[in-house]
């Protein structure tokens, strides 16, 4: 079945450092979504990418969808303590239109 | 806040028991998806309901069942609980039939512990 893999599993940074998490799918994706889950919280939608090579920015966050639509990345510039949490990518599962397959996520911790 | 509510917040059950979890979707949303999130893992899709009918199912056994009501609220029922069912159960509502292309608005989750 379709797999969505994320690396790294954990990332600890000093406040002000940059952070990047990578997402790779075993199949071509029609779109990819990114979610953030704070410790003890629930996933919150960040963004959806649809087009090959698409790049979207939200303040210090930059999201990219690969040309082959099989990988994606999230880059945070100058991390802040409020960025702490687990970042998940999610894509359509197994060709269905009803199922989202999530990666295992990257847990980001920030040392003030 | 998303407007999606879930009850109860926490639940402790013993192996073999049955449990019902509830979800109220965000106003205007007619689709509800249920996910199981084990500790340290990403959410795993259980099933989706659209306008009171099951629209799709993930790799979960039949003892996981659900309902959606005319007001689009939903229930997740799990029979014959096993220790591995201990997890955070999340419901997510959306406006479209098809979670893979629509933003999912997650509720706060129900933390189920099976002893």
């Amino acid at each position: 079945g379709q797999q969505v893999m994320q690396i790294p599993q954990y990332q600890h940074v000093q406040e002000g450092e940059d952070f990047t998490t990578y997402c790779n799918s075993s199949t071509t994706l029609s779109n990819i979504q990114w979610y953030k889950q704070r410790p003890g919280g629930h996933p919150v939608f960040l963004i959806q990418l649809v087009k090959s090579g698409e790049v979207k920015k939200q303040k210090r966050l930059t999201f990219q969808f690969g040309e082959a639509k099989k990988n994606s990345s999230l880059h945070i510039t100058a991390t802040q303590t409020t960025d702490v949490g687990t970042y998940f990518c999610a894509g359509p599962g197994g060709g269905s239109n009803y199922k989202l397959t999530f990666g295992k996520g990257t847990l980001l911790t920030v040392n003030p | 806040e998303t407007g999606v509510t879930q009850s109860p917040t926490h639940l402790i059950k013993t192996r073999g028991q049955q449990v019902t979890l509830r979800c109220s979707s965000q106003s205007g949303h007619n689709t509800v998806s249920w996910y199981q999130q084990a500790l340290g893992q990403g959410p795993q899709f259980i099933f989706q309901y659209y306008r009171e009918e099951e629209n799709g199912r993930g790799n979960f056994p039949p003892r996981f069942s659900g309902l959606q009501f005319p007001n689009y609220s939903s229930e997740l029922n799990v029979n014959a609980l096993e220790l591995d069912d201990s997890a955070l159960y999340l419901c997510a509502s959306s406006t479209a039939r098809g979670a893979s292309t629509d933003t999912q608005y997650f509720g706060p989750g129900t933390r189920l512990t099976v002893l």
Side-chain angles (χ1 to χ4, degrees):
Chain A
Q2 186 224 19
Q3 289 187 330
V4 176
M5 293 152 287
Q6 279 187 257
I7 55 170
Q9 192 174 358
Y10 306 98
Q11 184 78 60
H12 179 73
V13 300
Q14 289 293 124
E15 190 170 22
E17 291 182 337
D18 291 357
F19 160 76
T20 303
T21 174
Y22 300 91
C23 179
N24 292 287
S25 171
S26 56
T27 59
T28 301
L29 300 170
S30 60
N31 71 91
I32 194 156
Q33 299 180 27
W34 284 91
Y35 290 79
K36 175 184 178 182
Q37 185 172 24
R38 293 182 186 275
H42 57 276
V44 174
F45 175 80
L46 294 176
I47 208 158
Q48 181 182 63
L49 305 173
V50 179
K51 298 177 184 176
S52 169
E54 188 170 15
V55 178
K56 285 189 176 180
K57 293 190 176 184
Q58 289 179 351
K59 297 183 180 178
R60 296 178 294 104
L61 277 61
T62 301
F63 303 83
Q64 189 164 2
F65 202 9
E67 294 289 341
K69 301 183 77 173
K70 294 182 73 174
N71 57 74
S72 181
S73 65
L74 158 59
H75 179 81
I76 302 178
T77 305
T79 54
Q80 299 174 359
T81 54
T82 53
D83 295 326
V84 165
T86 302
Y87 293 84
F88 293 100
C89 63
S96 75
N97 70 341
Y98 57 80
K99 177 182 175 181
L100 263 184
T101 297
F102 282 76
K104 289 188 175 182
T106 296
L107 172 60
L108 171 66
T109 55
V110 179
N111 200 30
Chain B
E1 292 301 320
T2 62
V4 180
T5 61
Q6 290 186 246
S7 63
T9 306
H10 296 88
L11 203 52
I12 300 175
K13 291 285 189 178
T14 55
R15 196 169 44 181
Q17 284 189 311
Q18 178 266 344
V19 69
T20 298
L21 310 181
R22 295 178 175 83
C23 170
S24 290
S25 59
Q26 185 162 315
S27 177
H29 288 187
N30 54 21
T31 303
V32 173
S33 300
W34 285 91
Y35 294 83
Q36 180 195 66
Q37 187 177 25
L39 204 59
Q41 303 293 316
Q44 282 209 321
F45 177 82
I46 303 175
F47 43 55
Q48 181 183 89
Y49 279 84
Y50 172 74
R51 293 186 177 180
E52 302 178 59
E53 290 192 3
E54 187 179 293
N55 185 45
R57 191 177 184 91
N59 296 326
F60 281 82
R63 58 189 185 84
F64 286 77
S65 63
L67 280 174
Q68 188 179 31
F69 301 100
N71 65 354
Y72 303 132
S73 65
S74 178
E75 285 182 356
L76 164 65
N77 299 289
V78 187
N79 293 322
L81 283 167
E82 301 176 359
L83 297 180
D84 285 349
D85 295 335
S86 296
L88 179 67
Y89 287 85
L90 297 159
C91 79
S93 73
S94 57
T95 57
R97 181 181 184 180
S100 66
T101 56
D102 199 35
T103 301
Q104 301 294 289
Y105 295 88
F106 283 89
T110 294
R111 173 72 62 187
L112 173 64
T113 302
V114 182
L115 302 175

